[in-house]
């Protein structure tokens, strides 16, 4: 009903975008397909793992097809890379997910002795994710990953000492942990020069923000976001309840006080939360919040013995996703929608059906 109601307003306000309003409405509607995925999974741990494995392998195959050795070497040498995806931000998103998968798998291997192939696979994914997210030079993804890793470290240390798990640590486990941590630290340090220039590029914007107002900030990468966010908040305040319509962001952007080069290059506001509020207002955001709460509540059910690393990995992926969506409009692109539908479908299935270890997915 909300989409229908706001559609008629949007068509009257922006008649030139009438056809596109219907097409763009699918971005919001598709997020609710996670319920269909949940219905198919029916709480099956095995089926969920197969589905997420296919999701991961699909990205790795596409990465192998879209990139080559020369491109990787150039990226490691300092050239920003996106490997053929929408842009570097979207590549960083997928690389961050790879890093979380690899790190979660490594943590499980450290607690439970695994086969050599598991160690190789887990460490390879971790290294790929770490290098991949670094060469995209995406500051928001790096910030999000740093916050997630810091949070996991604190939670892990508290859990370790509260439950006295440290008594169960073997000498071999400690040695392996130190070795893996050393390798990743050296690798991270070696990649630091690649990231240094991106962080230096933000210093001028931050200094301008400290000494003056928003009008004094140039249209750099960070500056464009700040200018468009302030403008978006003004438009949201005009229609806070139901928003402007699914595709109204484009004409609203064109009406904004931005340079022509910015209007020609961008048509969105680099923030998924602002995009939802602009399109559907507080009512649309409330619907999405309720849906996400169900997904997270279902995912939390995995925080039990036997599935803890599985649950922590999924929750870490969600935390990473929530943070980076404050800096890029992932939810209106396929990358964000795929994540929400597939990973969200897994969490929703445990919310609706609980979780079990069945070998097949119930069809009835």
């Amino acid at each position: 009903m909300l989409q229908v109601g706001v559609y008629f307003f949007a068509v009257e306000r922006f008649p030139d975008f009438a056809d596109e309003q219907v097409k763009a409405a699918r971005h919001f509607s598709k997020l609710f397909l996670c319920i269909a995925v949940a219905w198919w999974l029916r709480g099956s741990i095995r089926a969920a793992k197969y589905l997420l494995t296919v999701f991961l392998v699909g990205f790795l195959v596409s990465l192998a097809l879209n990139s080559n050795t020369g491109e990787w070497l150039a990226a490691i040498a300092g050239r920003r890379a996106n490997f053929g995806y929408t842009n570097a931000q979207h590549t960083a998103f997928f690389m961050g997910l790879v890093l979380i998968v690899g790190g979660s798998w490594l943590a499980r291997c450290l607690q439970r002795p695994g086969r050599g192939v598991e160690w190789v696979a887990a460490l390879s994914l971790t290294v790929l994710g770490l290098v991949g997210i670094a060469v995209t030079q995406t500051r928001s993804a790096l910030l999000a990953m740093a916050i997630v890793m810091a949070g996991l470290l604190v939670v892990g240390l508290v859990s370790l000492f509260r439950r006295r798990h440290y008594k169960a640590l073997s000498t071999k486990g400690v040695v392996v942990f130190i070795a893996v941590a050393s390798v990743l630290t050296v690798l991270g340090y070696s990649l630091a020069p690649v990231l240094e220039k991106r962080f230096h590029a933000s210093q001028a914007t931050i200094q301008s923000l400290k000494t003056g107002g928003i009008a004094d900030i140039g249209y750099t990468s960070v500056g464009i976001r700040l200018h468009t966010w302030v403008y978006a908040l003004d438009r949201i305040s005009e229609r806070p309840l139901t928003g402007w319509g699914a595709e109204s962001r484009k004409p609203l952007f064109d009406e904004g006080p931005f340079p022509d080069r910015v209007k020609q290059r961008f048509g969105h506001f680099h923030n998924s939360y602002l995009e939802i509020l602009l399109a559907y207002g507080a009512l649309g955001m409330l619907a999405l919040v309720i849906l996400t709460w169900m997904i997270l509540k279902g995912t939390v059910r995995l925080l039990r013995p036997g599935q803890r690393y599985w649950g922590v990995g999924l929750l870490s992926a969600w935390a990473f996703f929530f943070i980076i969506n404050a800096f890029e409009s992932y939810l209106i692109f396929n990358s964000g929608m795929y994540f929400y539908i597939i990973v969200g479908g897994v969490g929703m299935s445990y919310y609706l059906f609980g979780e079990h270890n069945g070998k097949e997915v119930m069809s009835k």
Side-chain angles (χ1 to χ4, degrees):
M1 291 298 295
L2 174 63
Q3 285 187 304
V4 173
V6 75
Y7 166 76
F8 288 107
F9 164 80
V11 169
E12 183 178 357
R13 176 68 171 78
F14 307 110
D16 294 339
F17 288 80
D19 293 338
E20 296 182 41
Q21 295 287 353
V22 176
K23 296 177 182 178
R26 73 187 188 276
H27 297 315
F28 187 72
S29 301
K30 280 182 178 180
L31 300 179
F32 290 81
L33 288 175
C34 66
I35 299 175
V37 174
W39 191 265
W40 176 69
L41 294 175
R42 292 293 184 96
S44 170
I45 294 289
R46 186 182 295 270
K49 289 182 178 180
Y50 284 151
L51 177 62
L52 294 179
T53 299
V54 170
F55 183 41
L56 174 64
V57 172
F59 168 69
L60 295 177
V61 170
S62 71
L63 180 64
L65 295 175
N66 288 335
S67 61
N68 55 61
T69 304
E71 194 172 8
W72 275 100
L73 292 175
I76 293 173
R79 189 174 71 186
R80 195 179 190 193
N82 60 30
F83 302 119
Y85 296 96
T86 304
N87 56 40
Q89 283 83 5
H90 293 264
T91 308
F93 167 46
F94 286 120
M95 289 298 187
L97 295 180
V98 171
L99 179 56
I100 289 172
V101 171
S104 300
W105 199 353
L106 270 182
R108 183 182 181 278
C109 290
L110 285 169
Q111 187 188 41
R112 298 178 181 179
R115 294 173 297 178
V117 65
E118 283 191 87
W119 280 102
V120 172
L123 187 58
S124 297
L125 286 175
T126 304
V127 171
L128 173 63
L130 181 60
V131 175
I133 201 172
V135 298
T136 63
Q137 300 180 26
T138 303
R139 290 161 293 193
S140 59
L142 291 165
L143 172 64
M145 189 57 64
I147 293 173
V148 170
M149 292 303 176
L152 287 175
L153 179 61
V154 172
V155 171
L157 290 174
V158 170
S159 176
L160 183 68
F161 287 100
R162 270 190 177 181
R163 303 184 182 188
R164 300 182 182 275
H165 285 171
Y166 57 90
K167 292 184 178 180
L169 292 176
S170 64
T171 303
K172 179 181 178 181
V174 173
V175 171
V176 171
F177 172 78
I178 293 174
V180 171
S182 299
V183 170
L184 295 179
T185 300
V186 171
L187 183 61
Y189 181 78
S190 65
L191 291 170
V194 176
L195 308 174
E196 187 176 358
K197 65 178 182 180
R198 290 289 293 170
F199 286 103
H200 280 321
S202 306
Q203 290 182 349
T205 301
I206 295 173
Q207 188 62 32
S208 297
L209 190 60
K210 288 180 179 179
T211 58
I214 187 71
D216 299 324
I217 297 176
Y219 282 86
T220 59
S221 176
V222 176
I224 289 172
R225 283 168 169 77
L226 292 176
H227 281 286
T228 56
W229 291 349
V230 170
Y231 173 73
L233 289 172
D234 287 339
R235 300 288 77 78
I236 290 170
S237 66
E238 295 178 19
R239 289 184 59 81
L241 196 60
T242 58
W244 294 79
E247 191 68 359
S248 298
R249 64 178 177 275
K250 290 185 177 179
L252 285 173
F253 202 96
D254 290 339
E255 292 178 1
F258 314 124
D260 290 339
R261 63 180 179 85
V262 174
K263 293 180 179 180
Q264 292 170 4
R265 182 178 178 185
F266 302 107
H268 62 277
F269 290 89
H270 294 89
N271 185 305
S272 288
Y273 309 111
L274 294 179
E275 300 283 1
I276 297 298
L277 287 170
L278 274 169
Y280 300 110
L283 291 179
M285 180 61 76
L286 178 61
L288 190 60
V289 167
I290 292 173
L291 183 67
T292 306
W293 176 83
M294 293 177 181
I295 291 170
L296 294 179
K297 188 172 182 179
T299 306
V300 167
R301 290 182 177 179
L302 293 174
L303 297 179
R304 63 172 183 79
Q307 303 295 343
R308 184 169 290 114
Y309 289 103
W310 172 242
V312 169
L314 287 175
L315 290 173
S316 299
W318 277 107
F320 178 67
F321 186 65
F322 291 147
I323 297 171
I324 61 175
N325 268 286
F327 303 95
E328 181 57 270
S329 305
Y330 291 99
L331 285 178
I332 65 173
F333 289 94
N334 288 334
S335 55
M337 284 188 282
Y338 289 154
F339 176 87
Y340 200 97
I341 294 168
I342 295 174
V343 181
V346 171
M348 181 64 76
S349 71
Y350 302 137
Y351 174 80
L352 294 175
F353 303 103
E355 53 89 11
H356 61 81
N357 292 306
K359 294 184 179 180
E360 67 278 343
V361 178
M362 295 173 61
S363 59
K364 294 183 179 179

